Amino acid sequence: MKLRILPLAAAALGGAALGIWQNGKRGKKKADALQNRIHVLSDHFQLLNHWLEIKGEGKSTADYFKEMGYGHIAIYGMADLGIRLTEDLDGGSVVVDYGIDRDISCSIARIEEVYTPEDDLPDTDVIVVTPYAVFEEIKKNLEKKVNCPIVSLEEVVWSV
């Protein structure tokens, strides 16, 4: 009788230990994801804060594009940062030709022409990637499709 209980107890303890280990692993994964989100939001705060500072000095992201010789741009990422960039350039000499977004059906873009990254993309002077946390991956994919420079919004704002 004792011999039968021992394997059952060992199995139960092993199962409990496995459950605790798996929950700990999931907890670590969740904590890592939250830490990454905090990092991205902190970067956004710093970028937007600097953007407001340069606006307060009477400057604009258009200054970067003019200095680089870009009169026409496309914006990759039609979420909040893409909208802010569109607003910043609205009415100026730098023209936003079109937007690019993975989900054009749910886009809140204020641009008439929005393409998916898989579409044939029209010619433009430069593409600005607003989700700069994944800039390298997006750039790598776009370079296969276009022959223009691809820059991150982070580069644009911090260069003004």
Side-chain angles (χ1 to χ4, degrees):
M1 182 102 153
K2 277 187 173 181
L3 293 177
R4 289 186 189 166
I5 294 174
L6 188 58
L8 291 174
L13 286 172
L18 179 62
I20 291 168
W21 178 77
Q22 285 177 335
N23 282 336
K25 195 173 179 183
R26 276 190 222 117
K28 171 131 176 56
K29 204 173 197 180
K30 196 177 218 181
D32 289 347
L34 287 172
Q35 187 62 39
N36 185 52
R37 184 71 180 144
I38 290 168
H39 179 72
V40 168
L41 291 173
S42 175
D43 286 351
H44 277 23
F45 170 79
Q46 291 176 25
L47 179 93
L48 290 168
N49 187 54
H50 182 69
W51 202 343
L52 282 172
E53 286 174 349
I54 63 175
K55 292 221 32 113
E57 296 170 0
K59 299 176 185 175
S60 165
T61 53
D63 298 335
Y64 169 87
F65 298 116
K66 289 177 200 170
E67 184 177 313
M68 299 300 291
Y70 305 138
H72 292 262
I73 72 164
I75 301 173
Y76 185 108
M78 299 284 71
D80 294 327
L81 293 176
I83 292 169
R84 297 294 84 79
L85 180 58
T86 303
E87 292 169 348
D88 196 36
L89 298 171
D90 193 35
S93 62
V94 176
V95 177
V96 178
D97 292 331
Y98 59 91
I100 308 166
D101 201 281
R102 289 181 305 173
D103 185 7
I104 60 173
S105 64
C106 294
S107 177
I108 54 174
R110 296 193 174 121
I111 301 172
E112 284 187 37
E113 300 265 347
V114 179
Y115 298 91
T116 69
E118 292 76 30
D119 289 335
D120 289 331
L121 301 174
D123 290 339
T124 191
D125 294 339
V126 65
I127 297 175
V128 182
V129 176
T130 63
Y132 54 87
V134 289
F135 171 70
E136 291 300 328
E137 178 184 336
I138 293 169
K139 180 181 179 183
K140 182 179 171 186
N141 290 330
L142 286 175
E143 286 176 330
K144 298 172 189 172
K145 301 185 65 81
V146 297
N147 292 319
C148 65
I150 302 162
V151 300
S152 71
L153 178 62
E154 187 175 39
E155 178 184 333
V156 172
V157 172
W158 287 102
S159 294
V160 176

